[in-house]
Amino acid sequence: MTSRALIIGGGIAGPVTALALRKAGLDPVVYEAYDKGSDGVGAFLTLAENGLAALEVLDLSLADLGMDTPAMVMVSRGRELATAPMRARTVTRAELYSALRDEAVRRGVAVEYGKRLVDAETTPTGVRARFADGTTAEGDILIGADGLRSRTRTIIDPKAPAARHIGLLNTGGYAHGLSLPGRPGVAHFVFGRRCFFGYLSHPDGGVWWFANPPAKREPTREELAAITPGQWRARLVDLFADDTGPMLDIIAATGHIFPAWNTYDFPRVPTWHNDRMVLVGDAVHAASPSSGQGASLAIEDAVVLGRCLRDLDDPAVAFTAFRAARRQRVERVVAQGRRNGNGKMQGPVGAAIRDLILPVVMRRVAEKDLLGWMYDYRVDWDEPATAPR
Ligand SMILES: Cc1cc2nc3c(=O)[nH]c(=O)nc-3n(C[C@H](O)[C@H](O)[C@H](O)COP(=O)(O)OP(=O)(O)OC[C@H]3O[C@@H](n4cnc5c(N)ncnc54)[C@H](O)[C@@H]3O)c2cc1C
């Protein structure tokens, strides 16, 4: 019987997997590379209804965090192209990470900080993990919830592909002292002439926003780090100078603009596991932020893996069942995210076509429930997991 699980990474997939494993009767420990409290990195994300439903399986609710996001509105050249209802919650990454970790600890999970996995090996009875501080840990299984740049992924498969740059940067911030029209919480997505912009008004009066400047070539970390905050502000002002909408006011009302970072996805990771180690979350299927699904998929993974480990004694069989249950879905979401991202990077002709087509497409999506496969997915915790034939 699998009992002790070493979970690498204390982001979203890590703590939620720990909670699912505890519910399944296992004994998980979370190892996070950074020190406690160092995850105040600015950005926010939106948990879609499928992710919220997966959290509910574990009696987790985000009702006290962030804001409800009841709809999205798409805008181009000052014209509303489409509106769609949503059941989602928008939260800052920092508050989400710490709420999930705190809840894991409250339910008895040990979370160790300053533990960066550098290597791991299978032993005759389980696994041994080695950390950068020279310590080791032993368990029956190891779960790599260590994100896009997963070390676990390359331990399992040294030939694992690298993430794919998707041609967009990401920046954003929190604006204050503005009063924008519209309902709080509604996600506004603006196709600017040269840059995509998203914003939501918080009920407390703040405005949360992000922008996706296009980047045909992937800038290095050093190149990005060399751009000063003032240069970023000037670049964003320039990118939105010819657009209609509140973008320039929002940028002007923002004290600190996040330094921009690259965005990536993972169309396909060939090897998800070996006999004792398995990957979850971004480590195995990062979706473009344009999918709005990365965190939700990570949470679904956690619950599905918990169910597989509860019902299948041999970890290798449980991991195979997990992959079989998840692969097709996550790859479909990654592909959808890629398509969404492409819509943000159109030239003038492509943009004109997009503006003509999008309202029709969105109407069809609503009428025929074409994205139901993505949002209506539910994990039935009580359904027994079976070994794939
Ligand atoms: C700009 C942006 C916007 C996004 N917007 C959305 C959105 O609106 N909706 C949505 O659902 N998703 C969104 N996402 C995606 C979402 O943030 C990720 O899919 C989600 O965080 C994945 O969770 P994870 O736990 O797998 O990885 P992460 O959250 O990256 O967590 C990985 C953790 O592992 C730790 N770690 C890394 N290496 C090691 C190591 N060697 N040893 C120990 N620990 C390690 C890291 O410090 C980190 O804490 C967005 C992503 C970005 C970048």
Side-chain angles (χ1 to χ4, degrees):
M1 169 75 191
T2 308
S3 174
R4 183 111 174 138
L6 314 180
I7 299 180
I8 309 302
I12 297 172
V16 183
T17 302
L19 288 164
L21 264 53
R22 257 194 98 81
K23 188 174 167 88
L26 281 79
D27 173 24
V29 185
V30 174
Y31 297 93
E32 165 56 40
Y34 288 100
D35 288 333
K36 189 166 197 227
S38 65
D39 53 16
V41 203
F44 58 89
L45 54 81
T46 299
L47 261 296
E49 64 176 289
N50 47 303
L52 295 174
L55 284 176
E56 278 166 24
V57 172
L58 302 174
D59 301 317
L60 292 167
S61 159
L62 302 183
D64 295 336
L65 307 182
M67 59 184 130
D68 262 332
T69 300
M72 70 169 131
V73 179
M74 296 194 190
V75 180
S76 176
R77 294 157 207 254
R79 187 167 68 89
E80 205 172 292
L81 296 179
T83 302
M86 290 172 83
R87 193 188 144 240
R89 193 132 188 120
T90 302
V91 297
T92 66
R93 286 165 78 98
E95 65 179 350
L96 177 62
Y97 282 28
S98 60
L100 293 174
R101 286 181 197 162
D102 289 351
E103 187 57 19
V105 170
R106 204 185 65 77
R107 296 190 196 177
V109 174
V111 179
E112 296 200 21
Y113 293 91
K115 295 286 177 189
R116 177 171 293 279
L117 180 82
V118 287
D119 212 349
E121 63 200 358
T122 53
T123 64
T125 53
V127 280
R128 183 178 305 115
R130 223 159 35 77
F131 300 101
D133 63 0
T135 57
T136 58
E138 300 208 3
D140 296 312
I141 56 171
L142 182 146
I143 298 170
D146 44 355
L148 191 74
R149 296 179 196 286
S150 169
R151 173 70 186 121
T152 314
R153 185 173 59 236
T154 50
I155 293 170
I156 292 175
D157 177 10
K159 294 205 189 80
R164 173 175 68 175
H165 187 250
I166 54 175
L168 292 170
L169 303 179
N170 220 304
T171 180
Y174 301 98
H176 298 283
L178 283 178
S179 173
L180 298 178
R183 262 165 90 192
V186 170
H188 292 81
F189 296 129
V190 182
F191 295 98
R193 283 171 208 271
R194 286 180 289 148
C195 185
F196 186 83
F197 192 93
Y199 69 93
L200 307 90
S201 297
H202 192 282
D204 76 4
V207 178
W208 298 13
W209 64 275
F210 68 90
N212 293 143
K216 284 208 175 100
R217 182 184 68 78
E218 179 180 351
T220 64
R221 280 182 184 206
E222 294 72 29
E223 283 171 331
L224 286 176
I227 304 172
T228 66
Q231 285 168 332
W232 260 120
R233 186 180 293 276
R235 183 156 167 209
L236 288 170
V237 167
D238 179 54
L239 281 169
F240 293 109
D242 302 329
D243 287 320
T244 309
M247 290 78 83
L248 294 180
D249 290 339
I250 294 174
I251 293 165
T254 303
H256 169 70
I257 295 178
F258 314 142
W261 59 95
N262 283 304
T263 53
Y264 301 90
D265 69 6
F266 254 120
R268 191 177 175 89
V269 173
T271 309
W272 283 40
H273 65 90
N274 62 22
D275 286 356
R276 293 277 173 177
M277 305 181 205
V278 67
L279 301 169
V280 289
D282 273 14
V284 68
H285 51 59
S288 147
S290 307
S291 71
Q293 281 286 330
S296 295
L297 290 183
I299 294 164
E300 290 175 6
D301 279 356
V303 179
V304 174
L305 181 62
R307 203 180 58 182
C308 293
L309 285 164
R310 176 195 65 193
D311 296 339
L312 300 165
D313 282 347
D314 180 343
V317 175
F319 296 161
T320 308
F322 166 68
R323 188 195 57 203
R326 298 294 295 157
R327 175 167 235 156
Q328 201 185 7
R329 171 170 173 75
V330 300
E331 289 179 359
R332 195 173 175 196
V333 173
V334 173
Q336 180 68 40
R338 178 81 178 175
R339 281 194 291 279
N340 296 352
N342 288 344
K344 297 177 175 178
M345 296 184 276
Q346 301 294 341
V349 177
I353 296 171
R354 179 201 58 219
D355 290 359
L356 272 179
I357 290 176
L358 197 72
V360 183
V361 171
M362 290 297 287
R363 250 196 324 274
R364 261 182 66 82
V365 165
E367 281 164 14
K368 308 248 180 219
D369 196 18
L370 294 181
L371 289 179
W373 64 270
M374 188 147 80
Y375 298 117
D376 297 344
Y377 180 89
R378 298 291 181 269
V379 185
D380 181 355
W381 180 260
D382 296 326
E383 189 190 322
T386 50
R389 273 183 241 143

